[in-house]
Amino acid sequence: MATGFKARVLIAEDEEFTLNLLCEVLESANFQVEAVASVADAISLVPTFDPHVVITDLNFGVGPSGADLLQHIEKEHPWVGKVVLTSHASPALAIPNGVAIPDGVTYLVKSELGSINELVRAVEDSISNSSSVGVRPEIENDRIVISATQGEILLLLAEGYTNAAIARKRGNSLRATETLVQRTFASLGIKSDEDFNPRVLAVRMWQQGKVVIK
């Protein structure tokens, strides 16, 4: 990854050794990392840290599970990549009955990880695999609300950067950047239309003051 921009990773893990190891591995791979030991702390940190990816264990003992965290992310921050890192080969062994993991989550079993590179690739892929399907514009005071990450994307689009240039500038893969751009368009309510350029429409909305960053 480039040394300028660092993709942000939020880790939720209640085992201290694993938490510290994950932080060390991901920071050495040039990610910006925040780590917490509970689901509640993770949920409270998401709006301000605005992660690109959340990595979570499933079983946190008494209280909310990692599946609850993932469901919250899917509902409130659907553009964020989601990775499960757990000791359980089956989610049913780690979360209460009736609680499901959202579609599109990267599921890793700790004992089956062959190398550090597998974890790093999973984090990168979770960004690029985030689908824009089902994203609806969030309206507040007649303005469309987007995340800080999407605000970064929109500003770079306004400055004329291509997807490849944005990827280099932000330190993401091209696939991840393309998905983030599409997520931004979806959050703005811009649909694919061969008669219009979505970049021009997005920048025009920003210039007209129709967009606000939360």
Side-chain angles (χ1 to χ4, degrees), residues 160-191:
Y161 286 95
T162 64
N163 284 355
I166 292 173
R168 290 192 298 271
K169 192 172 184 65
R170 302 184 78 250
N172 292 135
S173 69
L174 179 57
R175 283 202 306 148
T177 299
E178 289 171 345
T179 298
L180 289 170
V181 170
Q182 291 303 316
R183 275 279 180 179
T184 302
F185 293 157
S187 292
L188 293 171
I190 298 174
K191 299 180 180 179

PDB file of all heavy atoms in Angstrom, residues 160-191:
ATOM      1  N   GLY A 160     -10.998  15.676 -10.267  1.00  0.00           N
ATOM      2  CA  GLY A 160     -10.714  15.094 -11.571  1.00  0.00           C
ATOM      3  C   GLY A 160      -9.924  13.805 -11.569  1.00  0.00           C
ATOM      4  O   GLY A 160      -9.488  13.338 -12.624  1.00  0.00           O
ATOM      5  N   TYR A 161      -9.727  13.190 -10.395  1.00  0.00           N
ATOM      6  CA  TYR A 161      -8.950  11.961 -10.337  1.00  0.00           C
ATOM      7  C   TYR A 161      -9.722  10.782 -10.940  1.00  0.00           C
ATOM      8  O   TYR A 161     -10.930  10.652 -10.739  1.00  0.00           O
ATOM      9  CB  TYR A 161      -8.594  11.621  -8.883  1.00  0.00           C
ATOM     10  CG  TYR A 161      -7.521  12.498  -8.287  1.00  0.00           C
ATOM     11  CD1 TYR A 161      -7.850  13.610  -7.528  1.00  0.00           C
ATOM     12  CD2 TYR A 161      -6.174  12.201  -8.488  1.00  0.00           C
ATOM     13  CE1 TYR A 161      -6.858  14.421  -6.975  1.00  0.00           C
ATOM     14  CE2 TYR A 161      -5.180  13.001  -7.936  1.00  0.00           C
ATOM     15  CZ  TYR A 161      -5.531  14.103  -7.187  1.00  0.00           C
ATOM     16  OH  TYR A 161      -4.557  14.896  -6.649  1.00  0.00           O
ATOM     17  N   THR A 162      -9.026   9.920 -11.657  1.00  0.00           N
ATOM     18  CA  THR A 162      -9.604   8.676 -12.143  1.00  0.00           C
ATOM     19  C   THR A 162      -9.659   7.670 -10.996  1.00  0.00           C
ATOM     20  O   THR A 162      -9.051   7.887  -9.930  1.00  0.00           O
ATOM     21  CB  THR A 162      -8.756   8.085 -13.269  1.00  0.00           C
ATOM     22  OG1 THR A 162      -7.450   7.740 -12.735  1.00  0.00           O
ATOM     23  CG2 THR A 162      -8.600   9.072 -14.413  1.00  0.00           C
ATOM     24  N   ASN A 163     -10.360   6.552 -11.226  1.00  0.00           N
ATOM     25  CA  ASN A 163     -10.404   5.503 -10.201  1.00  0.00           C
ATOM     26  C   ASN A 163      -8.999   4.995  -9.876  1.00  0.00           C
ATOM     27  O   ASN A 163      -8.662   4.762  -8.707  1.00  0.00           O
ATOM     28  CB  ASN A 163     -11.275   4.333 -10.663  1.00  0.00           C
ATOM     29  CG  ASN A 163     -12.748   4.644 -10.580  1.00  0.00           C
ATOM     30  OD1 ASN A 163     -13.150   5.699 -10.095  1.00  0.00           O
ATOM     31  ND2 ASN A 163     -13.576   3.728 -11.059  1.00  0.00           N
ATOM     32  N   ALA A 164      -8.180   4.824 -10.893  1.00  0.00           N
ATOM     33  CA  ALA A 164      -6.818   4.342 -10.681  1.00  0.00           C
ATOM     34  C   ALA A 164      -6.012   5.339  -9.851  1.00  0.00           C
ATOM     35  O   ALA A 164      -5.252   4.957  -8.951  1.00  0.00           O
ATOM     36  CB  ALA A 164      -6.136   4.077 -12.023  1.00  0.00           C
ATOM     37  N   ALA A 165      -6.187   6.627 -10.150  1.00  0.00           N
ATOM     38  CA  ALA A 165      -5.463   7.655  -9.401  1.00  0.00           C
ATOM     39  C   ALA A 165      -5.959   7.737  -7.955  1.00  0.00           C
ATOM     40  O   ALA A 165      -5.170   7.919  -7.020  1.00  0.00           O
ATOM     41  CB  ALA A 165      -5.620   9.005 -10.087  1.00  0.00           C
ATOM     42  N   ILE A 166      -7.270   7.582  -7.764  1.00  0.00           N
ATOM     43  CA  ILE A 166      -7.825   7.578  -6.409  1.00  0.00           C
ATOM     44  C   ILE A 166      -7.277   6.390  -5.625  1.00  0.00           C
ATOM     45  O   ILE A 166      -6.925   6.515  -4.446  1.00  0.00           O
ATOM     46  CB  ILE A 166      -9.366   7.530  -6.459  1.00  0.00           C
ATOM     47  CG1 ILE A 166      -9.910   8.840  -7.037  1.00  0.00           C
ATOM     48  CG2 ILE A 166      -9.952   7.300  -5.066  1.00  0.00           C
ATOM     49  CD1 ILE A 166     -11.412   8.824  -7.284  1.00  0.00           C
ATOM     50  N   ALA A 167      -7.189   5.235  -6.279  1.00  0.00           N
ATOM     51  CA  ALA A 167      -6.657   4.041  -5.622  1.00  0.00           C
ATOM     52  C   ALA A 167      -5.222   4.277  -5.152  1.00  0.00           C
ATOM     53  O   ALA A 167      -4.860   3.946  -4.025  1.00  0.00           O
ATOM     54  CB  ALA A 167      -6.720   2.850  -6.571  1.00  0.00           C
ATOM     55  N   ARG A 168      -4.407   4.876  -6.010  1.00  0.00           N
ATOM     56  CA  ARG A 168      -3.013   5.146  -5.635  1.00  0.00           C
ATOM     57  C   ARG A 168      -2.945   6.158  -4.501  1.00  0.00           C
ATOM     58  O   ARG A 168      -2.162   6.006  -3.555  1.00  0.00           O
ATOM     59  CB  ARG A 168      -2.229   5.656  -6.844  1.00  0.00           C
ATOM     60  CG  ARG A 168      -1.972   4.597  -7.920  1.00  0.00           C
ATOM     61  CD  ARG A 168      -0.947   5.093  -8.919  1.00  0.00           C
ATOM     62  NE  ARG A 168      -1.404   6.281  -9.634  1.00  0.00           N
ATOM     63  CZ  ARG A 168      -2.094   6.243 -10.767  1.00  0.00           C
ATOM     64  NH1 ARG A 168      -2.429   5.063 -11.304  1.00  0.00           N
ATOM     65  NH2 ARG A 168      -2.461   7.356 -11.380  1.00  0.00           N
ATOM     66  N   LYS A 169      -3.760   7.187  -4.583  1.00  0.00           N
ATOM     67  CA  LYS A 169      -3.709   8.259  -3.590  1.00  0.00           C
ATOM     68  C   LYS A 169      -4.175   7.777  -2.216  1.00  0.00           C
ATOM     69  O   LYS A 169      -3.641   8.189  -1.187  1.00  0.00           O
ATOM     70  CB  LYS A 169      -4.583   9.428  -4.052  1.00  0.00           C
ATOM     71  CG  LYS A 169      -4.379  10.716  -3.255  1.00  0.00           C
ATOM     72  CD  LYS A 169      -5.117  11.865  -3.898  1.00  0.00           C
ATOM     73  CE  LYS A 169      -4.842  13.179  -3.166  1.00  0.00           C
ATOM     74  NZ  LYS A 169      -3.415  13.592  -3.268  1.00  0.00           N
ATOM     75  N   ARG A 170      -5.185   6.878  -2.214  1.00  0.00           N
ATOM     76  CA  ARG A 170      -5.751   6.412  -0.952  1.00  0.00           C
ATOM     77  C   ARG A 170      -5.126   5.114  -0.462  1.00  0.00           C
ATOM     78  O   ARG A 170      -5.422   4.649   0.630  1.00  0.00           O
ATOM     79  CB  ARG A 170      -7.262   6.227  -1.094  1.00  0.00           C
ATOM     80  CG  ARG A 170      -8.003   7.493  -1.510  1.00  0.00           C
ATOM     81  CD  ARG A 170      -9.498   7.279  -1.550  1.00  0.00           C
ATOM     82  NE  ARG A 170     -10.066   7.298  -0.217  1.00  0.00           N
ATOM     83  CZ  ARG A 170     -10.554   6.238   0.407  1.00  0.00           C
ATOM     84  NH1 ARG A 170     -10.540   5.059  -0.177  1.00  0.00           N
ATOM     85  NH2 ARG A 170     -11.063   6.338   1.616  1.00  0.00           N
ATOM     86  N   GLY A 171      -4.288   4.510  -1.271  1.00  0.00           N
ATOM     87  CA  GLY A 171      -3.649   3.275  -0.841  1.00  0.00           C
ATOM     88  C   GLY A 171      -4.550   2.062  -0.906  1.00  0.00           C
ATOM     89  O   GLY A 171      -4.314   1.078  -0.208  1.00  0.00           O
ATOM     90  N   ASN A 172      -5.602   2.107  -1.727  1.00  0.00           N
ATOM     91  CA  ASN A 172      -6.506   0.976  -1.900  1.00  0.00           C
ATOM     92  C   ASN A 172      -6.195   0.248  -3.199  1.00  0.00           C
ATOM     93  O   ASN A 172      -5.518   0.782  -4.074  1.00  0.00           O
ATOM     94  CB  ASN A 172      -7.968   1.439  -1.963  1.00  0.00           C
ATOM     95  CG  ASN A 172      -8.464   1.991  -0.646  1.00  0.00           C
ATOM     96  OD1 ASN A 172      -9.109   3.018  -0.624  1.00  0.00           O
ATOM     97  ND2 ASN A 172      -8.175   1.323   0.444  1.00  0.00           N
ATOM     98  N   SER A 173      -6.722  -0.974  -3.324  1.00  0.00           N
ATOM     99  CA  SER A 173      -6.664  -1.656  -4.611  1.00  0.00           C
ATOM    100  C   SER A 173      -7.642  -0.972  -5.566  1.00  0.00           C
ATOM    101  O   SER A 173      -8.565  -0.267  -5.134  1.00  0.00           O
ATOM    102  CB  SER A 173      -7.037  -3.127  -4.455  1.00  0.00           C
ATOM    103  OG  SER A 173      -8.412  -3.262  -4.135  1.00  0.00           O
ATOM    104  N   LEU A 174      -7.452  -1.198  -6.851  1.00  0.00           N
ATOM    105  CA  LEU A 174      -8.354  -0.605  -7.834  1.00  0.00           C
ATOM    106  C   LEU A 174      -9.774  -1.150  -7.652  1.00  0.00           C
ATOM    107  O   LEU A 174     -10.749  -0.404  -7.726  1.00  0.00           O
ATOM    108  CB  LEU A 174      -7.857  -0.886  -9.252  1.00  0.00           C
ATOM    109  CG  LEU A 174      -8.725  -0.345 -10.399  1.00  0.00           C
ATOM    110  CD1 LEU A 174      -8.916   1.160 -10.274  1.00  0.00           C
ATOM    111  CD2 LEU A 174      -8.108  -0.717 -11.749  1.00  0.00           C
ATOM    112  N   ARG A 175      -9.894  -2.468  -7.395  1.00  0.00           N
ATOM    113  CA  ARG A 175     -11.222  -3.060  -7.205  1.00  0.00           C
ATOM    114  C   ARG A 175     -11.935  -2.438  -6.010  1.00  0.00           C
ATOM    115  O   ARG A 175     -13.122  -2.143  -6.062  1.00  0.00           O
ATOM    116  CB  ARG A 175     -11.106  -4.573  -7.004  1.00  0.00           C
ATOM    117  CG  ARG A 175     -10.869  -5.356  -8.277  1.00  0.00           C
ATOM    118  CD  ARG A 175     -11.292  -6.791  -8.102  1.00  0.00           C
ATOM    119  NE  ARG A 175     -10.662  -7.410  -6.961  1.00  0.00           N
ATOM    120  CZ  ARG A 175     -11.228  -8.341  -6.219  1.00  0.00           C
ATOM    121  NH1 ARG A 175     -12.452  -8.739  -6.479  1.00  0.00           N
ATOM    122  NH2 ARG A 175     -10.581  -8.875  -5.205  1.00  0.00           N
ATOM    123  N   ALA A 176     -11.199  -2.244  -4.910  1.00  0.00           N
ATOM    124  CA  ALA A 176     -11.798  -1.641  -3.722  1.00  0.00           C
ATOM    125  C   ALA A 176     -12.251  -0.219  -4.017  1.00  0.00           C
ATOM    126  O   ALA A 176     -13.328   0.203  -3.599  1.00  0.00           O
ATOM    127  CB  ALA A 176     -10.802  -1.659  -2.567  1.00  0.00           C
ATOM    128  N   THR A 177     -11.416   0.515  -4.755  1.00  0.00           N
ATOM    129  CA  THR A 177     -11.758   1.902  -5.084  1.00  0.00           C
ATOM    130  C   THR A 177     -12.982   1.973  -5.975  1.00  0.00           C
ATOM    131  O   THR A 177     -13.863   2.823  -5.776  1.00  0.00           O
ATOM    132  CB  THR A 177     -10.563   2.584  -5.775  1.00  0.00           C
ATOM    133  OG1 THR A 177      -9.460   2.591  -4.879  1.00  0.00           O
ATOM    134  CG2 THR A 177     -10.908   4.012  -6.166  1.00  0.00           C
ATOM    135  N   GLU A 178     -13.049   1.095  -6.964  1.00  0.00           N
ATOM    136  CA  GLU A 178     -14.219   1.080  -7.844  1.00  0.00           C
ATOM    137  C   GLU A 178     -15.492   0.835  -7.053  1.00  0.00           C
ATOM    138  O   GLU A 178     -16.534   1.458  -7.313  1.00  0.00           O
ATOM    139  CB  GLU A 178     -14.038   0.005  -8.912  1.00  0.00           C
ATOM    140  CG  GLU A 178     -12.972   0.358  -9.940  1.00  0.00           C
ATOM    141  CD  GLU A 178     -12.640  -0.793 -10.866  1.00  0.00           C
ATOM    142  OE1 GLU A 178     -13.018  -1.943 -10.543  1.00  0.00           O
ATOM    143  OE2 GLU A 178     -11.998  -0.558 -11.912  1.00  0.00           O
ATOM    144  N   THR A 179     -15.422  -0.062  -6.057  1.00  0.00           N
ATOM    145  CA  THR A 179     -16.593  -0.342  -5.231  1.00  0.00           C
ATOM    146  C   THR A 179     -16.956   0.864  -4.370  1.00  0.00           C
ATOM    147  O   THR A 179     -18.137   1.205  -4.223  1.00  0.00           O
ATOM    148  CB  THR A 179     -16.333  -1.563  -4.329  1.00  0.00           C
ATOM    149  OG1 THR A 179     -16.096  -2.701  -5.158  1.00  0.00           O
ATOM    150  CG2 THR A 179     -17.536  -1.853  -3.445  1.00  0.00           C
ATOM    151  N   LEU A 180     -15.946   1.524  -3.806  1.00  0.00           N
ATOM    152  CA  LEU A 180     -16.210   2.706  -2.993  1.00  0.00           C
ATOM    153  C   LEU A 180     -16.846   3.819  -3.825  1.00  0.00           C
ATOM    154  O   LEU A 180     -17.742   4.526  -3.356  1.00  0.00           O
ATOM    155  CB  LEU A 180     -14.916   3.199  -2.344  1.00  0.00           C
ATOM    156  CG  LEU A 180     -14.355   2.321  -1.221  1.00  0.00           C
ATOM    157  CD1 LEU A 180     -12.960   2.782  -0.844  1.00  0.00           C
ATOM    158  CD2 LEU A 180     -15.261   2.342  -0.008  1.00  0.00           C
ATOM    159  N   VAL A 181     -16.370   3.982  -5.056  1.00  0.00           N
ATOM    160  CA  VAL A 181     -16.951   4.991  -5.944  1.00  0.00           C
ATOM    161  C   VAL A 181     -18.409   4.652  -6.232  1.00  0.00           C
ATOM    162  O   VAL A 181     -19.294   5.516  -6.177  1.00  0.00           O
ATOM    163  CB  VAL A 181     -16.137   5.103  -7.251  1.00  0.00           C
ATOM    164  CG1 VAL A 181     -16.880   5.960  -8.274  1.00  0.00           C
ATOM    165  CG2 VAL A 181     -14.765   5.713  -6.975  1.00  0.00           C
ATOM    166  N   GLN A 182     -18.672   3.370  -6.541  1.00  0.00           N
ATOM    167  CA  GLN A 182     -20.042   2.953  -6.820  1.00  0.00           C
ATOM    168  C   GLN A 182     -20.924   3.105  -5.597  1.00  0.00           C
ATOM    169  O   GLN A 182     -22.103   3.470  -5.703  1.00  0.00           O
ATOM    170  CB  GLN A 182     -20.060   1.504  -7.323  1.00  0.00           C
ATOM    171  CG  GLN A 182     -19.451   1.313  -8.698  1.00  0.00           C
ATOM    172  CD  GLN A 182     -20.122   2.181  -9.757  1.00  0.00           C
ATOM    173  OE1 GLN A 182     -21.352   2.274  -9.805  1.00  0.00           O
ATOM    174  NE2 GLN A 182     -19.322   2.827 -10.590  1.00  0.00           N
ATOM    175  N   ARG A 183     -20.366   2.826  -4.410  1.00  0.00           N
ATOM    176  CA  ARG A 183     -21.103   3.032  -3.164  1.00  0.00           C
ATOM    177  C   ARG A 183     -21.481   4.503  -2.994  1.00  0.00           C
ATOM    178  O   ARG A 183     -22.574   4.835  -2.540  1.00  0.00           O
ATOM    179  CB  ARG A 183     -20.250   2.584  -1.972  1.00  0.00           C
ATOM    180  CG  ARG A 183     -20.357   1.115  -1.679  1.00  0.00           C
ATOM    181  CD  ARG A 183     -21.608   0.827  -0.893  1.00  0.00           C
ATOM    182  NE  ARG A 183     -21.736  -0.587  -0.606  1.00  0.00           N
ATOM    183  CZ  ARG A 183     -22.722  -1.119   0.071  1.00  0.00           C
ATOM    184  NH1 ARG A 183     -23.680  -0.361   0.531  1.00  0.00           N
ATOM    185  NH2 ARG A 183     -22.795  -2.411   0.286  1.00  0.00           N
ATOM    186  N   THR A 184     -20.552   5.372  -3.331  1.00  0.00           N
ATOM    187  CA  THR A 184     -20.811   6.808  -3.220  1.00  0.00           C
ATOM    188  C   THR A 184     -21.936   7.222  -4.153  1.00  0.00           C
ATOM    189  O   THR A 184     -22.853   7.957  -3.757  1.00  0.00           O
ATOM    190  CB  THR A 184     -19.532   7.602  -3.533  1.00  0.00           C
ATOM    191  OG1 THR A 184     -18.491   7.205  -2.640  1.00  0.00           O
ATOM    192  CG2 THR A 184     -19.781   9.104  -3.378  1.00  0.00           C
ATOM    193  N   PHE A 185     -21.891   6.748  -5.393  1.00  0.00           N
ATOM    194  CA  PHE A 185     -22.969   7.049  -6.334  1.00  0.00           C
ATOM    195  C   PHE A 185     -24.307   6.537  -5.803  1.00  0.00           C
ATOM    196  O   PHE A 185     -25.325   7.230  -5.874  1.00  0.00           O
ATOM    197  CB  PHE A 185     -22.686   6.417  -7.696  1.00  0.00           C
ATOM    198  CG  PHE A 185     -21.503   6.993  -8.427  1.00  0.00           C
ATOM    199  CD1 PHE A 185     -20.838   6.251  -9.398  1.00  0.00           C
ATOM    200  CD2 PHE A 185     -21.050   8.275  -8.154  1.00  0.00           C
ATOM    201  CE1 PHE A 185     -19.759   6.778 -10.081  1.00  0.00           C
ATOM    202  CE2 PHE A 185     -19.965   8.817  -8.835  1.00  0.00           C
ATOM    203  CZ  PHE A 185     -19.314   8.061  -9.800  1.00  0.00           C
ATOM    204  N   ALA A 186     -24.303   5.304  -5.267  1.00  0.00           N
ATOM    205  CA  ALA A 186     -25.548   4.716  -4.760  1.00  0.00           C
ATOM    206  C   ALA A 186     -26.094   5.527  -3.596  1.00  0.00           C
ATOM    207  O   ALA A 186     -27.301   5.762  -3.491  1.00  0.00           O
ATOM    208  CB  ALA A 186     -25.306   3.268  -4.332  1.00  0.00           C
ATOM    209  N   SER A 187     -25.209   5.972  -2.694  1.00  0.00           N
ATOM    210  CA  SER A 187     -25.658   6.771  -1.553  1.00  0.00           C
ATOM    211  C   SER A 187     -26.217   8.121  -1.986  1.00  0.00           C
ATOM    212  O   SER A 187     -27.041   8.713  -1.287  1.00  0.00           O
ATOM    213  CB  SER A 187     -24.497   6.978  -0.567  1.00  0.00           C
ATOM    214  OG  SER A 187     -24.134   5.758   0.043  1.00  0.00           O
ATOM    215  N   LEU A 188     -25.763   8.605  -3.128  1.00  0.00           N
ATOM    216  CA  LEU A 188     -26.272   9.862  -3.669  1.00  0.00           C
ATOM    217  C   LEU A 188     -27.545   9.654  -4.491  1.00  0.00           C
ATOM    218  O   LEU A 188     -28.148  10.621  -4.956  1.00  0.00           O
ATOM    219  CB  LEU A 188     -25.209  10.521  -4.549  1.00  0.00           C
ATOM    220  CG  LEU A 188     -23.952  11.025  -3.826  1.00  0.00           C
ATOM    221  CD1 LEU A 188     -22.896  11.458  -4.838  1.00  0.00           C
ATOM    222  CD2 LEU A 188     -24.290  12.167  -2.880  1.00  0.00           C
ATOM    223  N   GLY A 189     -27.930   8.397  -4.666  1.00  0.00           N
ATOM    224  CA  GLY A 189     -29.137   8.108  -5.443  1.00  0.00           C
ATOM    225  C   GLY A 189     -28.914   8.154  -6.940  1.00  0.00           C
ATOM    226  O   GLY A 189     -29.869   8.242  -7.708  1.00  0.00           O
ATOM    227  N   ILE A 190     -27.654   8.089  -7.356  1.00  0.00           N
ATOM    228  CA  ILE A 190     -27.330   8.136  -8.783  1.00  0.00           C
ATOM    229  C   ILE A 190     -27.304   6.716  -9.328  1.00  0.00           C
ATOM    230  O   ILE A 190     -26.492   5.884  -8.904  1.00  0.00           O
ATOM    231  CB  ILE A 190     -25.966   8.810  -9.015  1.00  0.00           C
ATOM    232  CG1 ILE A 190     -26.006  10.263  -8.515  1.00  0.00           C
ATOM    233  CG2 ILE A 190     -25.581   8.761 -10.485  1.00  0.00           C
ATOM    234  CD1 ILE A 190     -24.668  10.961  -8.577  1.00  0.00           C
ATOM    235  N   LYS A 191     -28.185   6.435 -10.256  1.00  0.00           N
ATOM    236  CA  LYS A 191     -28.288   5.117 -10.844  1.00  0.00           C
ATOM    237  C   LYS A 191     -27.545   5.057 -12.173  1.00  0.00           C
ATOM    238  O   LYS A 191     -27.300   6.076 -12.810  1.00  0.00           O
ATOM    239  CB  LYS A 191     -29.761   4.746 -11.052  1.00  0.00           C
ATOM    240  CG  LYS A 191     -30.572   4.701  -9.763  1.00  0.00           C
ATOM    241  CD  LYS A 191     -32.013   4.330 -10.042  1.00  0.00           C
ATOM    242  CE  LYS A 191     -32.817   4.290  -8.742  1.00  0.00           C
ATOM    243  NZ  LYS A 191     -34.247   3.940  -8.991  1.00  0.00           N
TER     244      LYS A 191
END
